Amino acid sequence: LRAEIAELGKQIQIAGQTRQKENAKFQTEATEQSQTQMILKKAVQFLRKFYSSASLVQIQRHGLHGEPALGNPEGFQDYQKNAGGQGVIALIETIAEDAQKLELEAIQDEQDSQATYEDFTAQTSATIKAKQSEVDGKMKEMAEAKNDKAEAESSRESTLSELDQLFEAKMALHKECDFFVKNFEVRQKALADEIEALGQAAAILSGAK
């Protein structure tokens, strides 16, 4: 379990490092896309202003009332350039829109990656917590088992000591019983002789009277 916990912690660390790299890349890309859009917008504004000024010059060349000036073929060329300029502006605007789409996609990818990382971290942390709780429980069980074993050994030693004492007491009693049994007849005869002697003494004393 401890090895699993260490491996999960390592995975979280690796995921954090990867997330930092991804975020740094996103920040760079987002900045570049934002700067690109800004430059393209300024270019469009400049071109619109430029071609608007060019159109004003063309109007002036063709007269205030819209009548074309004879003998001035350059006017036609100016209109062609103006038409081409509108195409350039449209192309730049398309590029700007694409840049904005790329930026939005990058933002969405960044949000998805962050959400995935947070979910992974939360689940892995919960797993680590559960496994650590399991380790703590097993450690507690081992400590209790160790205490129980120590208590059992102490109780066993105490019981063995009591048994030894009881055995010694039994042997002592057995010796005493053997002694009494062996000396019972001797004592009984001695007692009988003593009683008989006492009887004779009593008889002698009675006859003396």
Side-chain angles (χ1 to χ4, degrees):
L1 286 176
R2 288 180 176 176
E4 293 178 4
I5 291 173
E7 179 61 26
L8 290 172
K10 184 178 180 181
Q11 290 180 11
I12 289 180
Q13 183 179 4
I14 293 174
Q17 293 173 350
T18 302
R19 181 84 279 276
Q20 289 180 351
K21 292 179 181 178
E22 291 176 347
N23 183 259
K25 182 180 179 182
F26 161 73
Q27 296 295 340
T28 300
E29 292 179 352
T31 300
E32 291 177 352
Q33 294 298 334
S34 180
Q35 291 177 348
T36 298
Q37 293 177 59
M38 186 179 300
I39 293 171
L40 292 175
K41 286 180 181 179
K42 289 182 178 180
V44 169
Q45 292 175 357
F46 173 80
L47 290 174
R48 287 188 184 281
K49 184 176 181 181
F50 173 78
Y51 287 115
S52 176
S53 299
S55 297
L56 179 60
V57 171
Q58 290 167 6
I59 292 174
Q60 291 175 349
R61 287 182 178 180
H62 288 75
L64 296 176
H65 299 289
E67 297 179 357
L70 298 176
N72 189 9
E74 290 81 1
F76 179 76
Q77 296 295 330
D78 290 338
Y79 279 117
Q80 292 298 322
K81 291 179 182 178
N82 192 13
Q86 293 299 325
V88 171
I89 291 174
L91 177 60
I92 294 175
E93 288 178 337
T94 300
I95 295 174
E97 290 175 358
D98 291 341
Q100 185 177 15
K101 289 179 181 179
L102 290 174
E103 182 182 9
L104 293 175
E105 290 176 359
I107 292 173
Q108 185 61 49
D109 290 342
E110 168 64 14
Q111 292 175 347
D112 292 342
S113 296
Q114 182 64 26
T116 300
Y117 167 73
E118 291 177 356
D119 182 63
F120 170 78
T121 302
Q123 291 184 1
T124 306
S125 297
T127 301
I128 290 175
K129 184 178 180 181
K131 290 184 178 296
Q132 185 60 53
S133 178
E134 187 175 354
V135 169
D136 293 340
K138 289 185 178 297
M139 292 296 292
K140 184 178 180 181
E141 290 177 0
M142 290 176 62
E144 291 177 351
K146 186 176 181 180
N147 290 334
D148 292 342
K149 181 181 179 182
E151 291 178 359
E153 289 180 350
S154 177
S155 177
R156 176 176 175 273
E157 293 295 330
S158 177
T159 301
L160 289 175
S161 178
E162 291 179 2
L163 289 175
D164 289 339
Q165 292 175 2
L166 290 173
F167 179 76
E168 291 176 358
K170 175 186 175 183
M171 293 302 296
L173 288 173
H174 186 68
K175 288 179 180 179
E176 289 181 4
C177 288
D178 288 344
F179 175 79
F180 285 125
V181 170
K182 290 179 180 179
N183 292 280
F184 176 75
E185 292 179 358
V186 175
R187 288 188 175 186
Q188 189 176 28
K189 186 177 182 302
L191 181 60
D193 292 343
E194 183 178 355
I195 292 173
E196 185 180 355
L198 289 174
Q200 291 176 358
I204 293 171
L205 290 174
S206 297
K209 292 180 178 179

